[in-house]
DNA sequence: CTCATGACTAGCT
DNA sequence: TAGCTAGCCATGA
């Protein structure tokens, strides 16, 4: 067993993000062995149906929520993040180098 | 095959 | 920080 489908690897990478932490689309893609496929990660998320998937922990590279401000998904995501103790200000996550530290602390990169 | 679309990025001003 | 541009990739018409 090896090459689980790209989608599976992406989902696995997303599930690997710990509670209270966040990661970017590009990082998830890279972690799934698909460098440069950030848009594919977004595609997978948009079509995802697994209610247990921590999709709210995935943000854009600039730390902002990828949904249009005010939209339903936007509010929901901000709500879930705050519920995990993440500081969300104006659609933007306040986490100093969250991405970088995640690579190192979570995935040991 | 070409064109448009999108939960994207990186670079420049 | 904000705005704009070009690049990128999978899908579907």
């Amino acid at each position: 067993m090896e090459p689980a489908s790209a989608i599976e690897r992406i989902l696995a990478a997303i599930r690997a993000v710990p509670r209270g932490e966040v990661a970017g689309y590009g990082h998830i893609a890279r972690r799934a062995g698909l460098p440069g496929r950030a848009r594919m990660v977004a595609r997978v998320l948009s079509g995802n149906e697994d209610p247990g998937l921590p999709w709210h922990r995935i943000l854009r590279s600039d730390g902002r929520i990828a949904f249009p401000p005010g939209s339903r998904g936007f509010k929901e995501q901000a709500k879930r993040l705050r519920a995990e103790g993440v500081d969300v200000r104006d659609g933007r996550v306040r986490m100093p180098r969250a991405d970088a530290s995640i690579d190192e602390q979570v995935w040991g990169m």
Side-chain angles (χ1 to χ4, degrees):
Chain A
M1 293 250 319
E2 9 204 278
S5 73
I7 296 181
E8 301 243 345
R9 293 197 306 265
I10 289 174
L11 291 176
I14 294 174
R15 294 195 189 96
V17 181
R19 193 168 183 287
E21 289 286 333
V22 295
Y25 291 86
H27 270 171
I28 293 298
R30 205 178 71 178
R31 175 59 182 129
L34 302 166
R37 275 76 177 159
R39 296 194 98 131
M40 189 179 185
V41 173
R43 212 176 188 332
V44 171
L45 280 182
S46 67
N48 148 70
E49 292 182 24
D50 181 349
L53 193 73
W55 57 271
H56 54 279
R57 295 176 193 153
I58 311 305
L59 306 168
R60 289 198 336 207
S61 62
D62 58 5
R64 290 193 163 198
I65 288 178
F67 289 110
S71 69
R72 205 161 168 206
F74 180 94
K75 292 177 184 170
E76 180 62 21
Q77 182 163 17
K79 180 181 177 184
R80 291 192 180 214
L81 285 174
R82 289 199 204 97
E84 294 188 353
V86 177
D87 184 17
V88 184
R89 313 271 310 202
D90 199 43
R92 178 179 300 174
V93 158
R94 286 302 205 174
M95 286 198 92
R97 292 181 250 28
D99 301 55
S101 23
I102 279 193
D103 279 352
E104 182 134 347
Q105 298 167 25
V106 182
W107 294 316
M109 292 175 72

